[in-house]
């Protein structure tokens, strides 16, 4: 029986890859890549000559079981995405699930991912956080954000530059203008930037400066005081009769 290796690749600087990752990519029988053109450049940079096969969100439903069967039969396979750790807002989960169901060994190497450096450098609390990934592009965005209105942990979102301003407007409507946040872009690349401030301040910045590059948006959680007030309002709405009875007794 073979092994499925989940191999993180650099999110920016090509030096952000481990020696073990390079060795695995050289030794496996096959490399599954989200985009063979993008991965081909990485492999060429490190002079790795190995077989590449496409495994992305458009075909993983059809190919996961077949590749899992090949690994079960003895092939060692590495899965990589265009940048970062596979299965984190990237293809990978279906193949891992198929391998796990067959009892196939799965090893995930530690390595690059965009949200960890963005979180740690944001200045927001990072002892407890929730990773939300990409918001739905159309239907469900507002309801997803509304469900997070009272979340007390730091919230982490991925966003494309084309929707950053729209998303910041929605943050303003849902979390309010004074909620602290940070917007990190181009992690580990030449023009890496982290804009910190309130939601209103970050929105103003990117309304004046065109968003470029992939973004990690981090929003501070609701304070416990605000959460308690919100819980109290919900309690009154849920039990209006109880409150009326208390008023009657007081009279």
């Amino acid at each position: 029986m073979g092994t499925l290796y989940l191999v993180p690749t650099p999110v920016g600087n090509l030096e952000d890859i481990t020696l073990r990752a390079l060795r695995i990519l050289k030794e496996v029988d096959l490399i599954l890549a989200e985009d063979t053109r993008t991965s081909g450049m990485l492999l060429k940079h490190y002079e790795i000559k190995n077989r590449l096969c496409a495994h992305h969100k458009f075909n993983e439903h059809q190919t996961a079981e077949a590749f899992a069967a090949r690994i079960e039969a003895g092939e060692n396979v590495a899965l990589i995405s265009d940048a970062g750790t596979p299965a984190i807002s990237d293809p990978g989960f279906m193949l891992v699930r198929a391998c796990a169901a067959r009892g196939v060994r799965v090893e995930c190497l530690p390595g690059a991912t965009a949200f960890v450096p963005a979180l740690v450098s944001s200045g927001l609390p990072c002892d407890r956080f929730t990773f939300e990934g990409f918001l739905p592009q159309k239907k469900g965005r507002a309801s997803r954000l509304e469900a997070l209105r009272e979340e007390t942990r730091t919230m982490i979102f991925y966003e494309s530059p084309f929707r950053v301003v729209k998303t910041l407007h929605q943050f303003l409507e849902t979390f309010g203008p004074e909620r602290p946040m940070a917007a990190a872009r181009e992690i580990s690349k030449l023009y890496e930037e982290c804009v910190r401030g309130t939601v209103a301040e970050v929105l103003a910045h990117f309304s004046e400066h065109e968003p470029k590059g992939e973004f990690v948006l981090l929003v501070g959680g609701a304070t416990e005081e605000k959460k308690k007030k919100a819980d109290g309002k919900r309690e009154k709405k849920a039990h209006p009769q109880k409150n009326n009875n208390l008023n009657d007794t007081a009279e």
Side-chain angles (χ1 to χ4, degrees), residues 45-119:
H45 179 81
Y46 284 105
E47 298 181 346
I48 297 173
K49 298 177 181 179
N50 207 334
R51 288 193 297 154
L52 275 175
C53 187
H55 183 79
H56 45 70
K57 65 180 181 180
F58 301 108
N59 72 358
E60 61 178 334
H61 292 82
Q62 294 79 33
T63 60
E65 286 294 339
F67 284 126
R70 290 174 59 171
I71 300 169
E72 185 180 23
E75 287 191 60
N76 291 316
V77 174
L79 174 66
I80 58 178
S81 60
D82 289 349
T85 301
I88 302 296
S89 294
D90 277 322
F93 164 70
M94 292 183 181
L95 180 56
V96 171
R97 180 176 61 182
C99 287
R102 292 170 177 266
V104 169
R105 181 179 176 83
V106 178
E107 290 188 24
C108 183
L109 280 62
T113 188
F115 79 82
V116 173
L119 172 64

Side-chain angles (χ1 to χ4, degrees), residues 9 16 76 106 123 213 242:
T9 54
D16 295 336
N76 291 316
V106 178
K242 178 180 178 181

Side-chain angles (χ1 to χ4, degrees), residues 116-237:
V116 173
L119 172 64
V120 174
S121 65
S122 69
L124 296 170
C126 52
D127 54 335
R128 296 178 69 246
F129 59 88
T130 176
F131 176 72
E132 294 296 322
F134 287 98
L135 289 166
Q137 290 189 22
K138 295 180 180 179
K139 186 177 180 180
R141 284 176 71 89
S143 58
R144 173 85 71 83
L145 289 173
E146 184 61 33
L148 294 168
R149 182 187 292 271
E150 297 163 27
E151 173 60 64
T152 58
R153 296 169 293 181
T154 299
M155 294 165 280
I156 304 171
F157 304 87
Y158 283 167
E159 193 54 276
S160 81
F162 309 108
R163 290 190 295 272
V164 164
V165 172
K166 173 184 176 180
T167 300
L168 291 173
H169 274 292
Q170 291 178 313
F171 284 176
L172 188 75
E173 295 170 1
T174 305
F175 304 123
E178 298 303 316
R179 185 75 70 92
M181 72 162 294
R185 68 180 190 88
E186 296 291 83
I187 298 294
S188 87
K189 297 179 182 178
L190 181 62
Y191 297 105
E192 179 176 349
E193 178 185 35
C194 184
V195 178
R196 305 174 183 87
T198 64
V199 170
E201 289 169 341
V202 175
L203 172 58
H205 175 85
F206 286 109
S207 295
E208 294 181 9
H209 302 84
E210 181 185 359
K212 295 181 180 180
E214 296 301 316
F215 278 74
V216 183
L217 301 177
L218 306 103
V219 182
T223 63
E224 287 295 333
E225 182 180 357
K226 288 183 178 179
K227 187 172 185 298
K228 288 178 181 177
K229 288 181 179 179
D231 289 343
K233 290 180 180 179
R234 282 202 306 273
E235 180 72 16
K236 288 180 180 180
K237 289 181 179 180

